[in-house]
C-alpha cells in the first residue's frame, strides 16, 4: 500500500503549522522526515495515521494492505510506550488480543517477531529489566506483530545513547533487508536519515514546507559508516537545514 499526501496545510488556531505538503510514501520504502523542532513533523505523522485531520488537503491510501495486516498504520514512539507490568511477550500479545488473535496463531506471530528483533531469549522479561535499546526493540516487535501496511516512527531512537542508536539502526537495516516494510520515519538526526531513508523529505521551519525531497538509491545494507556518497548527501541536507534550524531555535528562545 502506498500513501499519498496531497496539499496538506494545517493551522492550530492562529498558528500555521504546515503549508502545502505533498509527498508520496511508496510501498517497501522508508521515507524520512527531517526538519527543525516545531516544524510540524509529528503533526504530519498524526495525519498519516488518521489520528487527526488537516485543515486542508488529503491523505490517500493507494492499494490494499498486506495479507494478514491487522492494523494498517502503526506507530512506534520515542518513549517506547510499553506496559510496565507485562512481559515482553505480554506487550506483544496484547495487540494481538485486541484483534481477537490467541492460541497457536498468536504464539507463531510472537515467536516470529521476537526472533526478528533478537528478543526470543527475553520473552519473559519485564520492561524494567531491559535496556533502552531492547525496550525499543519490543516496541518494534509489537508494531511488526500487526503486519502494518505502513509503520510510523516518531524519533524512535532519540531517547537512546549514541552506541545504542547505532546498534538499533543496524537492526532496522537487517529487519528491512530480510523483509522490506513501508515506513515513515521522523528524525532530527541526519545520520539516521541517510542510513535508513530511501527518500528524505526536508521540511522548513514552521510553517513546515517541503524544501527538497532527496532520494538515495544505495541499498540499505551497503550504507556503511564514512561512505563518501552518504556523507555528501548528509552535508547537502545540513546545508538545507542549517538556516532553518538556526531560525527555529531563535524563534523558540523568543517565546
Ligand atoms: N494539539 C495542538 N494544539 C496546538 N498546537 C499544537 C498542537 N500540536 C502541535 N502544536 C504546535 O504545532 C507545531 C508543530 O508541532 P509538532 O509537534 O508537529 O512539531 P515537530 O516538528 O514534531 O517538533 P519536534 O521536533 O520538537 O518534535 C508546534 O508549534 C506545536 O506547538
Ligand atoms: Mg515531534
Amino acid at each position: 500500500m502506498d500513501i499519498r499526501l496531497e496539499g496538506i496545510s494545517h493551522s492550530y488556531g492562529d498558528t500555521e503549522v504546515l503549508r502545502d505538503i505533498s509527498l508520496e510514501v511508496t510501498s517497501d520504502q522508508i521515507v524520512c522526515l527531517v526538519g527543525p523542532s516545531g516544524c510540524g513533523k509529528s503533526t504530519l505523522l498524526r495525519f498519516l495515521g488518521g489520528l487527526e485531520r488537516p485543515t486542508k488537503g488529503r491523505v490517500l491510501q493507494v492499494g490494499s494492505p498486506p495479507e494478514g495486516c491487522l492494523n494498517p498504520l502503526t506507530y512506534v514512539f520515542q518513549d517506547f510506550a510499553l506496559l510496565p507490568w507485562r512481559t515482553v511477550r505480554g506487550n506483544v500479545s496484547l495487540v494481538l488480543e485486541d484483534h481477537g488473535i490467541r492460541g497457536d496463531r498468536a504464539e507463531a506471530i510472537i515467536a516470529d517477531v521476537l526472533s526478528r528483533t533478537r528478543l526470543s531469549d527475553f520473552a519473559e522479561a519485564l520492561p524494567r529489566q531491559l535496556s533502552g535499546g531492547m525496550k525499543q526493540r519490543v516496541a518494534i516487535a509489537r508494531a511488526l506483530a500487526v503486519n502494518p501496511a505502513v509503520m510510523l516512527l516518531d524519533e524512535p531512537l532519540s531517547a537512546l545513547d549514541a552506541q545504542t542508536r547505532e546498534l538499533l539502526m543496524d537492526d532496522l537495516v537487517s529487519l528491512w533487508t530480510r523483509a522490506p516494510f513501508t515506513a515513515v520515519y521522523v528524525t532530527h538526526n541526519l545520520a539516521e536519515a541517510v542510513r535508513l531513508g530511501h527518500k528524505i523529505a526536508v521540511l522548513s521551519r514552521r510553517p513546515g514546507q517541503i524544501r527538497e525531497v532527496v532520494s538515495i538509491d544505495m541499498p540499505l545494507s551497503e550504507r556503511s559508516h564514512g561512505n563518501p556518497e552518504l556523507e555528501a548527501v548528509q552535508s547537502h541536507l545540513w546545508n538545507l537545514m542549517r538556516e532553518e534550524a538556526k531560525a527555529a531555535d531563535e524563534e523558540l528562545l523568543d517565546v
Side-chain angles (χ1 to χ4, degrees):
M1 191 178 92
D2 296 354
I3 298 194
R4 198 174 295 149
L5 296 174
E6 286 185 353
I8 302 275
S9 297
H10 190 71
S11 299
Y12 287 113
D14 290 339
T15 311
E16 188 185 5
V17 177
L18 290 166
R19 187 184 291 174
D20 197 21
I21 304 279
S22 293
L23 183 68
E24 183 98 25
V25 179
T26 311
S27 184
D28 291 344
Q29 286 202 346
I30 300 177
V31 176
C32 291
L33 293 179
V34 301
S37 266
C39 76
K41 302 180 295 296
S42 298
T43 304
L44 198 55
L45 216 56
R46 288 198 297 277
F47 297 153
L48 278 160
L51 296 182
E52 275 182 54
R53 279 181 182 283
T55 317
K56 224 176 113 189
R58 51 187 193 160
V59 180
L60 294 177
Q61 298 181 4
V62 185
S64 350
E67 214 174 293
C69 169
L70 302 173
N71 189 2
L73 298 153
T74 303
Y75 287 92
V76 174
F77 295 106
Q78 178 180 341
D79 64 0
F80 324 127
L82 302 178
L83 295 178
W85 58 88
R86 283 206 166 217
T87 61
V88 168
R89 175 197 302 283
N91 268 281
V92 177
S93 71
L94 185 64
V95 294
L96 297 173
E97 288 161 26
D98 284 347
H99 291 91
I101 294 176
R102 291 164 210 279
D104 288 350
R105 184 161 168 225
E107 285 308 315
I109 295 173
I110 293 167
D112 173 51
V113 298
L114 292 187
S115 141
R116 285 160 70 193
T117 50
R118 299 189 295 109
L119 287 166
S120 305
D121 292 343
F122 305 97
E124 305 312 326
L126 288 166
R128 67 177 150 77
Q129 299 175 290
L130 305 176
S131 67
M134 289 165 87
K135 284 182 200 160
Q136 195 54 297
R137 278 168 25 218
V138 178
I140 292 167
R142 181 179 56 187
L144 291 170
V146 299
N147 198 20
V150 183
M151 228 196 294
L152 304 168
L153 302 111
D154 198 351
E155 306 205 34
L157 309 188
S158 296
L160 305 171
D161 63 73
Q163 287 93 331
T164 309
R165 276 207 297 270
E166 288 294 330
L167 294 174
L168 254 161
M169 277 191 265
D170 288 346
D171 282 333
L172 285 167
V173 166
S174 53
L175 254 181
W176 188 90
T177 304
R178 267 182 277 142
F181 52 86
T182 315
V184 180
Y185 187 107
V186 169
T187 179
H188 277 107
N189 186 313
L190 300 180
E192 277 171 41
V194 298
R195 188 75 200 288
L196 299 171
H198 296 96
K199 218 151 73 175
I200 301 161
V202 182
L203 298 183
S204 68
R205 66 183 181 274
R206 199 182 68 207
Q209 290 173 276
I210 292 194
R211 295 269 334 251
E212 192 172 321
V213 179
V214 176
S215 294
I216 308 180
D217 288 335
M218 190 187 301
L220 297 192
S221 56
E222 290 173 20
R223 298 189 190 183
S224 54
H225 255 305
N227 179 300
E229 196 180 320
L230 294 181
E231 288 195 344
V233 177
Q234 195 173 328
S235 304
H236 174 66
L237 294 172
W238 177 235
N239 286 334
L240 287 170
M241 283 227 349
R242 183 191 282 117
E243 288 308 311
E244 302 292 342
K246 196 163 157 239
D249 185 46
E250 284 162 11
E251 250 166 48
L252 292 177
L253 291 176
D254 272 343
V255 174

